[in-house]
Amino acid sequence: MNLLEVIKKRRSIRRFKPDPVPEIALKQILEAARLAPSGVNIQPWRFMVVKNPQLRARLAEEAAFRQQSVAEAPVVIVCCADLRSYLQAVVRAQELLAVEAVSGEFVEVYLKHRGPVSADLVTHMPAATINTVIAIEHMVLMATSLGLGTCWVQFIRPERVAEICELDEEIIVVALLPVGYPAQDPSPRPRLALQEILLPEPGTGKKEESNISMGVGVGSC
Ligand SMILES: Cc1cc2nc3c(=O)[nH]c(=O)nc-3n(C[C@H](O)[C@H](O)[C@H](O)COP(=O)(O)O)c2cc1C
């Protein structure tokens, strides 16, 4: 499958067969996450692969509002970000500058905005989350290309996930990702049409023409 085919084929899968996920497939999925881009190449993402059925049941019951996908999928990837990564941000920015991957101006602006190294790590949560989300979607698409199903599960109690998984306090939980062979074949869910997601460029005279509705249409893609 080419990339567009994978993107079109992906669905949120909430019912799974009990068949195990082959180790080779799991490795490929995690490799796709590892290769994701991140701001200043900080790579804050961390993943816990949960296969233990009791642990998955606890995650579903106690931390994911009894979402069946979490209990049923043979693998649940607990997707996290390590805020401690941001302690190395200055070093990382300087390394990037040294290899001229980014301009000195960018590094200067970046360092100014990120504050001192000792700043409360919590201030890095939005950046850590954004970077981790990219890695998660890499995994979702890789899993799809391997014939596996996934479902983003963000309707969770992150603090309960952290307790159940015995995570250090600097590790924040971003989402759960159940992975397994689909036991359902859902139709495409509705998407906005292209004209509904495009904002007119100022000065092109298109603002007056555009009639952007908030209705949900099935995108043609
Ligand atoms: C950030 C995010 C969080 C989501 N959280 C949940 C969730 O907690 N439970 C769930 O069943 N689906 C969840 N979903 C799946 C969405 O409901 C789904 O992507 C959307 O309805 C479109 O369907 P599709 O993914 O099959 O195209 C989430 C999706 C995203 C991107």
Side-chain angles (χ1 to χ4, degrees), residues 192-206:
L192 297 173
L194 192 55
Q195 69 268 23
E196 292 176 289
I197 62 171
L198 289 176
L199 301 173
E201 182 184 355
T204 57
K206 287 190 180 152

Side-chain angles (χ1 to χ4, degrees), residues 10-12 14 67 69 151-155 189 191:
R10 186 212 56 79
R11 301 274 182 279
S12 290
R14 300 185 176 92
Q67 294 189 66
S69 58
C151 185
W152 273 85
V153 175
Q154 216 187 20
F155 183 44
R189 274 95 187 197
R191 288 296 190 269

Side-chain angles (χ1 to χ4, degrees), residues 6-20:
V6 174
I7 290 170
K8 284 183 176 179
K9 185 170 175 246
R10 186 212 56 79
R11 301 274 182 279
S12 290
I13 297 298
R14 300 185 176 92
R15 300 302 313 263
F16 294 92
K17 294 178 182 166
D19 315 39

